[in-house]
């Protein structure tokens, strides 16, 4: 190689790097130029340098603490300017009132690289999203939830049996997150797929294998999810998947085996969601040339997102709730008494759907857990048309907008001593109440969590059965404050949250 060539190459590299640097500097002046308070970005990663070092949950809590007087702040998702709103009034505008400007979530993936991930309710854009939501909503009516609760109660009984077998007799502290992930994995098996698999009885349950693979927060899985959620364009470029190839294959096989078995046996079962998913497939209005594969995948994608949506969020809620109860024996006693009284009054050992809804203190404990530990710490939307936020700031089309749930749930004006777990503050709050947009653990507006009532009843069923038999005590080896897992996009207790079970 001649010297001239090397010199030219070096000059080109220096020019390229300088231009890139200038581009980034100009890009990072985005919020400053608009007079919006902002987080100072890191040159390459913007404000994403916290990823894999600290949980998303802690990041949003720190934003609240640092900018507690600011209604909104600017951050950079990589190089992408992103607005974070922190007040109930702005949350109301973004989620509900001005939904026409914020119709979509950020996440996107392509059918060719992630066939199921690209077809879930969380990935669809409007108008396909609203058609799909309309078709799925009837799966969560009160009538259906009543039937589903019967199945969940069966799983909760197995949970109690496992605690007796493994944790009462040997008196060891329990990793709650692991235990409750088994429970929620089993409830998905019975309520969505109509199959009786039991991770609680048999650690080799194939559904447990696949669900624990989906939500096992290794470094790489955590990184993959972070890229999918925070830099969707990069995720699409790298062809990352919400559901891995083995998970996709397994879900397909599991579902079609159940359908085949039922056809052969001439059975129908209206308690689980299998029939409903099949009806969904028939009702979908797909283009004539789209083929049956797409219709099948569309249906299976909804089953897959139910797995992802329910296992992680509900098991985290159960873990933190039990952990707090262990550290608040007097509140635990109050809840235990409410459950025992109901069991005596109703004259049945296992409380059913309507009975569970009547337990006011149980509801307060769950809502307070969701306030202090919202499993989803931010709600994501994409601005779909230029939007005037106030007299100073205009949000450009394509800008990601986050509602900081932590800022709302930790506002001391609404929730005095927000760090304190105090179910009494929720004693008059109904499950459906968002306290004027100060309490949004399930999101709000047209995109709110479709599985909200399913998730809460799943938590209720497990707590009622466990606390009718056992008390929980703190594990002396674990501090009160349980660190969130830095690899998980949603909140997940790193050590699992450990307690000891003792007989009541
Ligand atoms: C304690 C339990 C749960 C919590 C805390 C929770 C939380 C959330 C949150 C915060 C959102 C975003 C809402 C928004 O952006 O406004 C969401 C969406 C969603 N959740 Fe849940 N969830 C739970 C249980 C479930 C369950 C059991 C399922 C399925 C059966 C589920 C399926 C979904 C789906 C499909 C969406 C997307 C909805 C849409 O965009 O239309 N979730 N959830």
């Amino acid at each position: 190689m001649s010297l001239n060539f090397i010199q030219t190459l070096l000059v080109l590299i220096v020019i390229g790097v300088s231009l890139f640097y200038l581009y980034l500097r100009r890009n990072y002046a985005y919020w400053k130029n608009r007079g919006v308070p902002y987080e100072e970005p890191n040159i390459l990663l913007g404000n994403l340098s916290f990823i894999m070092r600290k949980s998303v949950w802690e990041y949003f809590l720190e934003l609240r603490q640092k900018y507690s007087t600011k209604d909104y702040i600017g951050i950079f998702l990589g190089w992408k300017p992103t607005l974070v709103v922190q007040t109930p009034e702005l949350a109301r505008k973004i989620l509900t009132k001005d939904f026409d400007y914020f119709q979509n979530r950020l996440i996107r993936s392509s059918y060719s690289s992630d066939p199921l991930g690209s077809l879930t309710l969380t990935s669809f854009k409007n108008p396909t999203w609203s058609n799909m939501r309309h078709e799925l909503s009837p799966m969560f009516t009160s009538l259906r939830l009543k039937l589903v609760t019967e199945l969940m109660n069966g799983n909760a009984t197995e949970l109690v049996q496992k605690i007796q077998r493994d944790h009462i007799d040997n008196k060891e502290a329990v990793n709650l997150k692991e235990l409750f992930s088994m429970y929620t994995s089993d409830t998905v098996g019975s309520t969505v797929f109509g199959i009786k698999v039991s991770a609680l009885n048999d650690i080799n349950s194939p559904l447990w294998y696949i669900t624990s693979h989906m939500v096992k927060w290794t470094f790489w899985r955590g990184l993959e999810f972070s890229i999918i959620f925070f830099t969707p364009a990069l995720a699409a470029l790298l062809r990352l998947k919400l559901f891995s190839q083995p998970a996709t294959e397994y879900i397909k096989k599991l579902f079609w085996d159940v359908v085949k078995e039922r056809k052969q046996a001439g059975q129908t079962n209206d308690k689980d969601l299998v029939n409903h998913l099949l009806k969904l497939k028939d009702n979908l209005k797909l283009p004539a040339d789209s083929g049956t594969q797409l219709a099948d995948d569309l249906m299976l994608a909804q089953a897959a997102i139910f797995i992802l949506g329910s296992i992680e969020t509900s098991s985290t809620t159960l873990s933190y709730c039990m952990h707090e109860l262990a550290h608040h024996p007097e509140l635990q006693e109050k809840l235990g008494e409410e459950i025992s009284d109901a069991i005596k009054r109703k004259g049945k050992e296992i409380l059913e759907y309507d009975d569970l809804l009547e337990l006011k203190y149980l509801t307060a404990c769950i809502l307070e857990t969701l306030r202090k530990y919202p499993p989803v710490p931010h709600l994501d939307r994409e601005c779909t048309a230029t939007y005037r936020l106030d007299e100073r700031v205009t949000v450009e089309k394509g800008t990601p907008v986050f509602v900081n749930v932590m800022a709302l749930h930790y506002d001391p004006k609404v929730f005095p001593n927000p760090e304190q777990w105090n179910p009494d503050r929720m004693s008059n709050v109904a499950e459906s109440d968002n306290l004027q947009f100060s309490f949004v653990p399930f999101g709000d507006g047209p995109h709110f969590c479709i599985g909200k009532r399913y998730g809460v009843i799943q938590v209720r069923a497990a707590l009622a059965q466990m606390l009718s038999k056992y008390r929980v005590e703190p594990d002396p080896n674990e501090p009160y404050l349980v660190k969130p897992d830095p690899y998980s996009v949603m909140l997940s207790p790193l050590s699992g949250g450990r307690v000891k079970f003792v007989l009541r």
Side-chain angles (χ1 to χ4, degrees), residues 31 53 92 106 232 239 245 277 324 400 480 491:
W31 292 122
R53 291 191 296 118
R92 185 177 72 88
L106 283 194
R239 299 172 71 81
Q245 191 63 27
L277 285 165
E324 287 285 0
Y480 170 54
L491 175 65

Side-chain angles (χ1 to χ4, degrees), residues 102-135:
F102 302 98
Q103 297 184 20
N104 297 332
R105 293 182 185 287
L106 283 194
I107 186 171
R108 64 189 75 228
S109 49
S110 80
Y111 183 55
S112 64
S113 62
D114 189 6
L116 295 195
S118 63
L119 299 177
T120 65
L121 198 55
T122 44
S123 314
F124 277 135
K125 307 294 165 214
N126 237 351
T128 321
W129 164 78
S130 89
N131 292 337
M132 182 58 91
R133 176 110 193 180
H134 180 75
E135 290 295 337

Side-chain angles (χ1 to χ4, degrees), residues 212-471:
S212 54
H213 170 81
M214 262 190 196
V215 294
K216 191 166 193 171
W217 301 110
T218 59
F219 181 86
W220 290 113
R221 186 69 179 141
L223 188 62
E224 190 175 27
F225 256 63
S226 302
I227 297 174
I228 291 174
F229 281 98
F230 291 119
T231 53
L234 179 63
L237 196 73
L238 298 174
R239 299 172 71 81
L240 299 184
K241 292 175 171 44
L242 205 53
F243 303 110
S244 65
Q245 191 63 27
T248 303
E249 292 311 319
Y250 181 77
I251 291 166
K252 285 184 179 178
K253 181 167 175 346
L254 186 64
F255 187 82
W256 290 121
D257 283 354
V258 172
V259 172
K260 205 164 107 197
E261 220 171 84
R262 288 205 183 161
K263 258 197 193 145
Q264 276 167 359
Q267 283 173 346
T268 55
N269 181 349
D270 230 19
K271 280 189 188 167
D272 56 55
L273 299 184
V274 174
N275 283 352
H276 208 96
L277 285 165
L278 287 170
K279 268 188 235 150
L280 167 79
K281 185 184 147 187
D282 294 338
N283 292 352
L284 292 169
K285 295 165 200 79
L286 296 171
D289 59 352
S290 51
T292 56
Q293 181 67 44
L294 180 65
D296 284 354
D297 285 347
L298 259 168
M299 172 188 68
L300 291 169
Q302 311 324 310
I305 199 68
F306 288 174
I307 297 179
L308 202 59
S310 78
I311 289 179
E312 197 57 0
T313 49
S314 304
S315 57
T316 289
T317 307
L318 273 167
S319 305
Y320 279 108
C321 189
M322 287 297 266
H323 196 262
E324 287 285 0
L325 287 168
H327 286 266
H328 292 91
E330 67 300 351
L331 305 183
Q332 186 183 161
E333 207 39 50
K334 185 170 167 185
L335 177 56
E337 270 171 27
E338 182 187 58
I339 295 167
S340 314
D341 286 353
I343 289 175
K344 269 191 224 131
R345 216 177 40 250
K346 304 275 173 186
K348 42 184 144 174
E349 216 173 294
I350 292 179
L351 299 172
E352 292 164 44
Y353 178 74
D354 292 318
D355 312 323
L356 289 168
L357 295 189
E358 285 172 19
L359 302 180
K360 293 266 181 311
Y361 199 63
L362 178 65
T363 304
C365 289
I366 298 172
L367 296 185
E368 176 63 352
T369 305
L370 288 165
R371 181 203 61 84
K372 186 172 172 192
Y373 305 101
V376 184
H378 70 289
L379 309 171
D380 66 307
R381 298 290 185 270
E382 184 182 47
C383 177
T384 41
T386 306
Y387 177 73
R388 188 112 188 137
L389 187 73
D390 58 19
E391 56 295 341
R392 258 185 334 132
V393 178
T394 298
V395 185
E396 287 180 301
K397 185 176 170 189
T399 308
V401 177
F402 288 164
V403 174
N404 185 354
V405 176
M406 304 305 292
L408 305 174
H409 287 197
Y410 279 71
D411 183 348
K413 290 196 288 307
V414 186
F415 303 108
N417 288 328
E419 309 286 340
Q420 197 186 336
W421 188 76
N422 172 14
D424 288 326
R425 69 168 112 227
M426 292 296 191
S427 54
N428 290 320
V429 177
E431 192 184 316
S432 54
D433 197 346
N434 68 12
L435 301 177
Q436 288 159 341
F437 287 84
S438 291
F439 178 60
V440 287
F442 296 95
D444 216 300
H447 268 294
F448 88 96
C449 174
I450 197 169
K452 172 179 173 169
R453 294 199 303 151
Y454 173 110
V456 180
I457 203 75
Q458 188 179 28
V459 172
R460 278 194 176 104
L463 286 175
Q465 286 208 40
M466 282 187 296
L467 293 169
S468 70
K469 302 254 176 336
Y470 311 117
R471 276 189 298 108

